[in-house]
Amino acid sequence: MNKAVRLFLAVSLAAASLSLSGCWDSSELNKTSLITGVALEPGKNSKLRLTVETMIAKRPEESKDTAPSIVQSLEGNSLPDLLVRFNESLDRSLLISHIGVIVIDERLARKGLQTILDPLQRTRFIREDVLILISEGVQASQIFKVLYPRSMQASSKIVSQLKSYRSSRGGIPQSRLFDASEAILAEGRELMLGAISLKGSIKDADKMESIKMVTPKASIVITGAGIFSEDKLKGFITVDECRLVMMASDLVKDTTLSIPYHDHEVSLRLRHVQSDIQAYMDKGKVKLQINLEGDGVVSSIDESIDITKISGYEKLEKLGSDYLEKQLSKAIQSIQEKYGLDVFGFGEQMYRNHYKQYEPLAERWNEIFAKTPVTVKARIKLHRSELKTNHIRNEGIGP
């Protein structure tokens, strides 16, 4: 037997032995539980109460008769210690690499996020795109106890719900772990995280009977966003205010405007939205401005507006532009008066583009932002109507 054959056999035997022995950091699926969601809130007897939602693997015929997940809680003083202590009540080791959502209780968020975010950022098992949300008005653990008619884990429902809402209306921040870390470290911009709550009767929301009804007993709802100063929660803004903040920050591409007109509403569907934030010094004074542009189609109109003529579209474009300017200015003033925190990123833009002007203002930027008027300019361009052009009454069908 020549040397080449002997070498080939030796390599083959070594590869076979390695494949039989397994990988050093592997885990047997039938000995582990996948954590899909985590809730963090103040403990009654310890500093922290951790609630985990673990997935139940089951056959299709079992999906309608059993709950899709197991939700259990444990108290302790640190997050890393709690994650390894869950075998006090669970029979399988927990895998944290599949966590999709982390919900932080409002009470805990007001004390600060650093002690929570630090272990999440250090571990190599939690992804940077995991969602970090704040529970508004309810205990964080209750979020994962709400059953959903599609036999879906609460965490999976939340991920899908936020993704759909962001793409269709844009009323909530991305709220990923990466976004939270970036905002806390950013100069001249404060952190915003998405907020969720519960609607309905929480008492029976964890019973299988609740999802067999036409109307579920309770449901998870998006309520807007939490505003932070450094890492501490200061308060909440509504979904409508949050959408306007996201539009100003160039983070909304598609949305719908519902504009009051006479006794009806005019609706415009914007397909492309772009915004530009400007912050600079002019004659010793800080100037803040938002330029927003959007184009789209007409979704609904008042019968008095004739869009068979150019003048009809021009009227709708002015209505949309004026409405957007008014609503955005109102939202900015509300945040300035109530919180005095720059969640728009004016300071960040000034830091990047006019550093020498920003440097002496850095320590008191939020104070300056709160007292500085913001100029808002919006321009809406409409290309066409949706399926129909004329109002139904103008077609001769109505009375």
Side-chain angles (χ1 to χ4, degrees):
M1 184 182 297
N2 59 36
K3 291 183 178 180
V5 174
R6 288 199 300 270
L7 180 61
F8 174 76
L9 290 174
V11 171
S12 299
L13 288 171
S17 63
L18 285 173
S19 63
L20 291 173
S21 61
C23 184
W24 66 271
D25 64 347
S26 65
S27 299
E28 296 292 338
L29 287 176
N30 62 350
K31 295 180 181 178
T32 59
S33 290
L34 300 181
I35 302 180
T36 54
V38 168
L40 295 165
E41 57 195 16
K44 294 181 179 179
N45 304 310
S46 302
K47 293 181 180 179
L48 192 65
R49 179 179 174 85
L50 172 68
T51 300
V52 297
E53 179 192 56
T54 55
M55 181 186 298
I56 298 178
K58 52 191 176 181
R59 295 185 295 271
E61 61 269 18
E62 299 174 329
S63 61
K64 296 181 180 180
D65 300 320
T66 59
S69 59
I70 297 174
V71 177
Q72 290 190 315
S73 301
L74 191 65
E75 289 193 13
N77 292 322
S78 72
L79 182 56
D81 181 53
L82 282 169
L83 285 170
V84 297
R85 279 183 50 205
F86 256 96
N87 285 112
E88 292 174 7
S89 57
L90 292 176
D91 61 327
R92 298 184 177 192
S93 59
L94 300 179
L95 286 182
I96 63 175
S97 57
H98 285 69
I99 295 175
V101 180
I102 298 174
V103 180
I104 301 174
D105 194 282
E106 175 185 345
R107 297 165 296 168
L108 203 61
R110 290 188 183 276
K111 296 179 181 179
L113 298 180
Q114 283 295 349
T115 56
I116 298 171
L117 294 181
D118 181 69
L120 298 178
Q121 293 164 333
R122 290 179 187 275
T123 178
R124 66 187 177 92
F125 294 107
I126 294 181
R127 302 186 306 274
E128 286 285 322
D129 63 347
V130 62
L131 292 176
I132 308 290
L133 302 172
I134 308 300
S135 65
E136 181 181 3
V138 296
Q139 294 180 10
S141 56
Q142 291 178 326
I143 298 291
F144 294 107
K145 296 177 183 179
V146 178
L147 295 176
Y148 191 57
R150 297 185 192 276
S151 297
M152 183 187 297
Q153 294 87 9
S155 55
S156 299
K157 192 258 187 183
I158 293 170
V159 171
S160 178
Q161 181 178 356
L162 265 65
K163 183 179 180 180
S164 299
Y165 193 73
R166 277 183 55 81
S167 63
S168 63
R169 194 168 189 268
I172 191 169
Q174 283 189 307
S175 299
R176 301 167 300 187
L177 177 59
F178 170 79
D179 299 311
S181 305
E182 184 182 52
I184 289 174
L185 295 173
E187 185 72 38
R189 174 168 59 92
E190 299 296 345
L191 170 65
M192 278 203 328
L193 291 177
I196 57 174
S197 188
L198 297 179
K199 179 179 68 175
S201 174
I202 303 172
K203 181 181 178 181
D204 300 318
D206 59 346
K207 296 180 174 60
M208 291 299 294
E209 290 75 15
S210 68
I211 61 174
K212 295 180 180 180
M213 305 174 66
V214 175
T215 304
K217 290 281 188 179
S219 58
I220 301 167
V221 293
I222 297 169
T223 58
I227 291 181
F228 289 75
S229 176
E230 296 183 350
D231 70 323
K232 294 182 180 180
L233 176 68
K234 294 303 180 181
F236 295 94
I237 58 175
T238 66
V239 285
D240 290 328
E241 290 174 324
C242 184
R243 179 179 67 152
L244 291 166
V245 174
M246 304 308 290
M247 289 177 70
S249 304
D250 200 24
L251 296 173
V252 174
K253 300 306 175 187
D254 294 1
T255 193
T256 300
L257 298 180
S258 183
I259 307 164
Y261 183 73
H262 294 168
D263 295 329
H264 303 282
E265 299 285 325
V266 170
S267 295
L268 307 178
R269 180 65 185 172
L270 303 183
R271 302 294 186 184
H272 304 93
V273 182
Q274 292 181 327
S275 65
D276 175 46
I277 288 179
Q278 296 181 6
Y280 56 93
M281 296 288 291
D282 182 25
K283 298 179 180 179
K285 293 184 179 181
V286 174
K287 298 291 184 181
L288 306 178
Q289 183 170 323
I290 295 175
N291 299 315
L292 195 148
E293 294 184 358
D295 61 82
V297 298
V298 180
S299 296
S300 70
I301 56 172
D302 183 87
E303 61 183 284
S304 64
I305 301 177
D306 183 6
I307 57 173
T308 61
K309 300 177 181 178
I310 294 177
S311 59
Y313 280 98
E314 290 175 342
K315 185 173 186 177
L316 288 172
E317 288 172 351
K318 189 175 188 314
L319 279 173
S321 301
D322 291 347
Y323 176 78
L324 201 52
E325 286 181 4
K326 182 179 178 181
Q327 293 300 308
L328 185 50
S329 297
K330 184 179 177 181
I332 294 170
Q333 290 173 11
S334 175
I335 292 171
Q336 286 177 319
E337 293 172 3
K338 193 172 182 180
Y339 300 111
L341 297 171
D342 182 6
V343 294
F344 298 88
F346 287 105
E348 186 176 27
Q349 290 300 316
M350 197 168 179
Y351 169 77
R352 291 180 176 181
N353 301 316
H354 308 284
Y355 177 74
K356 289 184 178 180
Q357 295 177 352
Y358 175 79
E359 187 179 16
L361 310 176
E363 292 186 1
R364 54 191 183 94
W365 175 253
N366 281 323
E367 180 184 343
I368 294 170
F369 163 75
K371 296 178 180 179
T372 304
V374 179
T375 302
V376 179
K377 295 182 179 180
R379 181 175 177 271
I380 302 299
K381 182 69 176 177
L382 299 174
H383 297 298
R384 57 178 176 84
S385 175
E386 289 197 275
L387 184 61
K388 292 181 65 67
T389 300
N390 276 338
H391 191 281
I392 190 169
R393 289 186 181 274
N394 297 330
E395 294 283 359
I397 298 176

